[in-house]
Amino acid sequence: MSRKAKKSAKSPKRNHRNRPVLQSYTGTLSMTREGFAFATVEGLDHDIFVSARKLHGALHGDTVQVALLPQTKSSSSRRSRTSRTDGEVVSIISRSKRPYVGILQVIDRVAWVITDSRNMPYDIWVSGDLPDKTQSGLKVAILVNGWNRKEGAPQGNITDILGKPGENNTEMHAILTEFGLPYRFEAEVEAEADRIPDSIPAEEIQSRRDFRTTVTFTIDPTDAKDFDDALSLQTLPNGNYEVGVHIADVSYYVRPGSLIDKEALERGTSVYLVDRTVPMLPEKLSNQLCSLRPQEDKLCFSAVFELDAKAKVINSWFGRTVIHSDLRLDYGQAQQIIETGQGPLAGEIGILHTLADLLRKERFKKGAISFERPEYKVEVDPLGKPLGVHIKESQDSNWLIEEFMLLANRSVAYYVARKQNPKDEKAKAPTFVYRVHEEPNIDKITAFRSFITHFGYQLKATRTPRELARELSRLLDKVREKPEAGAIEIMALRSMARARYATDNLGHYGLAFDYYTHFTSPIRRYPDLMVHRLLAHYLADGKSENKAYYENLCRYDSEREQIAAEAERASVKYKMVEFMQDKIGMVYEGCITGLTEWGMYVELIELHVEGMIPLREIRGDYFEFDADSYTLRSRTSKRIYRLGDSLTVKVVRANLEQKQLDYALVAVEK
């Protein structure tokens, strides 16, 4: 259930034109290039539409008080068809702190920025000191600081000169700026990192459990620069296996309240663009001190398990350790060892692969949902020029690492949640940071059930959320190789809640875990660092920490995670559009991946690049979007378009500024 929507303390009776209004809410604006906006209000299950003339100077990202407008006779009939709620901004509570990106123009004594954002329909006048004329034509970041309504455009201050448009660094920095993400560390933060000693004190090693003589290794992507997790294995005298999941002990180096900690907290997460990583921590930490490089002593926080031959956990231990990795493998090398049984540490990797396979099967048996949406990677040359797009495939070596990371995450969460009273599930647990994924909304599942009937499938009636999860998994397995698989998986994902951080343990529905946290990547996720600190505190018998403080951090980190994901997608989209610029006029086979009232999204089968066919440009036909069946229906040709349908399309536009790729419909495969 959503929390109660935030109403203003006193709803206005009249607006500035003396018209009666309904109640008002505090919300955040999402603006369009056309000038109208939608106000998102926490707790409301729908956004409030605000026309351009009712924004009264409010812009994208602003926090506003928006009043619902009374329903008129003309709007009543329209609203009954569209279910739209109209509103009007009555006050701007705070301006967005996120700058806009655009091209600076300086003429005589006037300067302005021509924006290229989808969320800004106006150019922005530069207030304050006049920029140098030599900077005219450069891409800049500008922060809006006001709007005198007597002027035709908002005003703002330039916050950064990004560089020459079209250059790779300029465009990647522009994406980071657009999402309010940093792309460099301040000198003071770097200096603090440089002052951290490279050597580990002997007394620190002596205070930890020593795994330096235990076989230990890392498996990471080929291009990884930091290795923040390692596995160790030894066979115990009783025939069981001791598996160590060793995570870089960032909490030893990054102390609460330090400059590095404050910077990491503000960033919340590392950001992975197409051609670069923007780390949460300075390079000395992320790529050196906290990177579990082979043949070096490293400090870790570890989860150590005794497993029998059936992968049942017999015992577990959590604490600070020191390790010495024997070998660094990439996923391809590890996969070859798994497949051939030959190579370095083949025996240990074979045992871990067997155990991981058993853990994976048990997880799906309990109701984990197997979403296997393809992940795309854009290949670029050293200068950032896109060379192609390929699908990243998960193999046994990926799942080997994944299963032991999942085991560590759920075991740490279970330990803390049940520490005070292991036998009492209702006992009050100390404050902790969980990674939660709530049960799906029943209305969304009902809509999904209706959607799949159009493909001839059904979900059996279920009594519990766990039974529903098993049914979803069976359905996804059934359609895996079918043409409609992508469409059904997309809609299944849309019926799910979004995973987030919280101090209340709500379980992880998608993974089928009653307890789950993020313990395994404190180099790149601030919540993991919080988990390490809290776990260390409770291992030392510390009292429960302040719940409200950590809940605020959970909310903030969930937001930062979402922003980082949006920036990552924007960089992929930019490079895909750049890749297609020399392919204008070329014809390709494609598959429908999305349908809306305004267009069809189509992915090219050969190139794996998605673009849109605007419906307004399909001449001689008119289409209606059916939200229930998720189809587009033609009034003229009676053609019905569904997710997963094959089309032949022509590339007609590749707009880098808007990161937009347009196709034209050529023909439909019979």
Side-chain angles (χ1 to χ4, degrees):
M1 295 293 290
S2 61
R3 285 170 289 182
K4 189 176 181 181
K6 295 180 181 177
K7 291 186 183 180
S8 62
K10 200 170 185 179
S11 298
K13 301 297 182 185
R14 301 268 167 180
N15 65 10
H16 74 294
R17 292 188 178 179
N18 204 35
R19 290 198 303 262
V21 296
L22 304 179
Q23 71 262 37
S24 67
Y25 296 92
T26 297
T28 304
L29 283 183
S30 178
M31 200 170 186
T32 68
R33 188 76 177 177
E34 288 73 25
F36 59 85
F38 294 90
T40 300
V41 177
E42 184 179 358
L44 285 186
D45 58 4
H46 59 276
D47 293 340
I48 301 170
F49 174 81
V50 186
S51 66
R53 63 190 181 89
K54 290 183 175 14
L55 285 168
H56 304 307
L59 297 168
H60 180 74
D62 290 352
T63 301
V64 299
Q65 185 182 27
V66 59
L68 302 185
L69 293 174
Q71 191 171 328
T72 64
K73 287 185 179 180
S74 60
S75 66
S76 175
S77 59
R78 183 188 70 240
R79 191 175 287 111
S80 64
R81 296 193 304 271
T82 64
S83 300
R84 194 177 80 184
T85 301
D86 290 1
E88 179 171 2
V89 172
V90 294
S91 68
I92 300 170
I93 297 172
S94 62
R95 288 285 185 188
S96 171
K97 301 299 182 184
R98 189 179 292 183
Y100 292 95
V101 172
I103 306 300
L104 175 65
Q105 297 291 330
V106 183
I107 299 178
D108 297 328
R109 300 295 301 168
V110 178
W112 68 96
V113 174
I114 301 173
T115 60
D116 53 29
S117 170
R118 293 184 180 182
N119 305 117
M120 172 55 86
Y122 311 104
D123 296 333
I124 304 170
W125 296 107
V126 178
S127 58
D129 296 335
L130 186 71
D132 193 307
K133 288 185 178 181
T134 61
Q135 296 173 332
S136 188
L138 296 182
K139 184 162 280 193
V140 301
I142 186 167
L143 183 64
V144 172
N145 54 29
W147 190 347
N148 181 346
R149 297 296 290 158
K150 294 180 181 179
E151 302 291 342
Q155 303 89 40
N157 295 323
I158 292 177
T159 59
D160 206 351
I161 304 294
L162 300 172
K164 186 178 179 180
E167 291 184 350
N168 186 64
N169 275 342
T170 299
E171 300 303 336
M172 293 300 104
H173 288 169
I175 289 172
L176 292 168
T177 301
E178 179 185 350
F179 289 95
L181 297 167
Y183 50 86
R184 56 176 173 252
F185 288 99
E186 296 296 334
E188 295 85 352
V189 177
E190 294 277 17
E192 186 174 88
D194 289 339
R195 288 194 295 270
I196 299 175
D198 293 336
S199 59
I200 303 172
E203 58 270 22
E204 184 61 37
I205 290 178
Q206 292 168 5
S207 69
R208 294 169 176 255
R209 185 169 171 180
D210 197 335
F211 279 82
R212 288 180 293 176
T213 59
T214 304
V215 172
T216 305
F217 59 93
T218 61
I219 304 177
D220 292 279
T222 304
D223 56 357
K225 294 181 180 179
D226 58 72
F227 319 123
D228 58 355
D229 56 70
L231 294 178
S232 68
L233 177 72
Q234 61 177 327
T235 303
L236 300 174
N238 63 4
N240 290 339
Y241 303 106
E242 181 187 83
V243 178
V245 180
H246 306 288
I247 310 301
D249 191 359
V250 175
S251 63
Y252 171 79
Y253 295 101
V254 180
R255 302 302 169 93
S258 65
L259 287 176
I260 296 172
D261 182 56
K262 290 176 181 177
E263 180 70 17
L265 171 59
E266 184 174 346
R267 294 183 177 218
T269 180
S270 295
V271 183
Y272 298 89
L273 301 188
V274 164
D275 68 333
R276 70 195 64 199
T277 297
V278 182
M280 185 181 77
L281 299 172
E283 184 176 352
K284 182 170 182 181
L285 286 163
S286 58
N287 290 0
Q288 298 178 42
L289 298 179
C290 295
S291 183
L292 308 183
R293 302 185 297 194
Q295 307 306 319
E296 295 181 14
D297 289 354
K298 294 292 181 180
L299 301 180
C300 290
F301 212 137
S302 303
V304 182
F305 304 96
E306 179 184 346
L307 301 173
D308 65 16
K310 295 183 179 180
K312 180 182 178 181
V313 177
I314 308 302
N315 290 300
S316 58
W317 176 91
F318 310 100
R320 286 191 155 105
T321 61
V322 57
I323 70 165
H324 188 94
S325 176
D326 299 288
L327 185 66
R328 185 250 161 159
L329 296 169
D330 63 31
Y331 284 117
Q333 293 168 328
Q335 184 65 30
Q336 187 173 14
I337 293 171
I338 290 170
E339 291 176 356
T340 65
Q342 304 293 319
L345 304 183
E348 288 83 355
I349 290 174
I351 291 170
L352 289 170
H353 168 58
T354 299
L355 294 173
D357 189 53
L358 291 168
L359 288 170
R360 183 175 173 84
K361 288 177 179 176
E362 181 65 18
R363 184 161 58 86
F364 286 113
K365 182 180 177 182
K366 289 183 176 179
I369 304 173
S370 177
F371 289 114
E372 295 184 9
R373 291 287 298 154
E375 183 180 353
Y376 298 102
K377 181 176 178 60
V378 181
E379 294 290 346
V380 296
D381 67 14
L383 297 178
K385 180 182 178 181
L387 304 175
V389 183
H390 72 262
I391 298 176
K392 295 168 64 176
E393 294 185 6
S394 290
Q395 298 178 294
D396 290 341
S397 55
N398 301 85
W399 296 331
L400 186 158
I401 293 298
E402 179 186 23
E403 288 305 322
F404 286 109
M405 298 304 117
L406 293 176
L407 176 62
N409 285 336
R410 66 182 172 93
S411 299
V412 167
Y414 179 84
Y415 171 80
V416 174
R418 303 290 292 279
K419 182 179 186 296
Q420 303 298 330
N421 245 311
K423 296 183 179 180
D424 185 1
E425 291 187 16
K426 296 182 179 179
K428 186 176 181 180
T431 297
F432 198 54
V433 173
Y434 298 96
R435 179 68 169 178
V436 302
H437 183 227
E438 294 156 273
E439 296 171 1
N441 179 283
I442 189 64
D443 291 336
K444 290 184 177 181
I445 289 297
T446 300
F448 177 71
R449 287 180 184 274
S450 174
F451 170 73
I452 61 175
T453 61
H454 296 280
F455 295 93
Y457 298 105
Q458 288 186 334
L459 280 180
K460 293 181 182 177
T462 55
R463 293 172 296 178
T464 67
R466 196 50 59 207
E467 286 181 1
L468 173 61
R470 293 191 184 98
E471 273 301 300
L472 282 170
S473 287
R474 276 194 283 268
L475 172 68
L476 294 174
D477 286 340
K478 187 175 182 179
V479 305
R480 191 76 66 197
E481 301 299 326
K482 303 289 181 63
E484 62 270 19
I488 290 175
E489 189 155 285
I490 288 171
M491 297 305 291
L493 279 168
R494 289 178 181 174
S495 72
M496 297 288 111
R498 178 178 290 166
R500 60 187 176 88
Y501 299 104
T503 55
D504 290 321
N505 176 41
L506 304 174
H508 198 293
Y509 182 77
L511 294 172
F513 292 151
D514 293 328
Y515 304 87
Y516 193 65
T517 189
H518 272 172
F519 167 78
T520 51
S521 290
I523 281 181
R524 62 184 180 91
R525 295 188 301 229
Y526 197 83
D528 300 54
L529 180 54
M530 291 194 287
V531 165
H532 280 217
R533 289 170 176 168
L534 288 169
L535 178 58
H537 178 68
Y538 296 138
L539 286 169
D541 294 323
K543 294 182 179 180
S544 182
E545 293 284 15
N546 185 288
K547 183 183 174 92
Y549 170 78
Y550 279 97
E551 183 60 32
N552 285 335
L553 289 181
C554 285
R555 190 176 298 113
Y556 175 78
D557 281 316
S558 296
E559 293 170 356
R560 298 302 292 175
E561 175 185 61
Q562 183 62 25
I563 290 169
E566 290 172 3
E568 291 162 18
R569 285 193 292 270
S571 77
V572 170
K573 186 66 176 177
Y574 183 90
K575 288 300 176 183
M576 284 185 171
V577 175
E578 185 181 351
F579 176 64
M580 297 298 291
Q581 280 197 307
D582 62 353
K583 298 170 180 61
I584 304 299
M586 297 182 70
V587 175
Y588 296 93
E589 299 303 314
C591 176
I592 297 177
T593 54
L595 295 169
T596 68
E597 295 177 354
W598 56 84
M600 291 186 281
Y601 289 91
V602 177
E603 181 183 310
L604 305 184
I605 295 171
E606 176 187 349
L607 302 179
H608 306 300
V609 176
E610 185 183 71
M612 188 183 76
I613 302 174
L615 296 185
R616 66 178 182 274
E617 296 187 13
I618 302 179
R619 299 187 181 278
D621 215 337
Y622 180 82
F623 295 90
E624 292 179 334
F625 177 63
D626 186 334
D628 293 331
S629 62
Y630 220 79
T631 57
L632 279 173
R633 297 173 181 269
S634 164
R635 282 187 180 180
T636 306
S637 65
K638 305 302 181 183
R639 174 77 189 183
I640 299 175
Y641 295 104
R642 296 183 175 88
L643 289 173
D645 283 355
S646 297
L647 302 174
T648 303
V649 300
K650 179 190 292 185
V651 183
V652 293
R653 273 182 299 275
N655 187 326
L656 273 175
E657 294 299 329
Q658 297 292 326
K659 306 179 188 69
Q660 187 170 316
L661 193 60
D662 286 347
Y663 299 150
L665 182 63
V666 175
V668 181
E669 284 190 354
K670 302 297 183 183

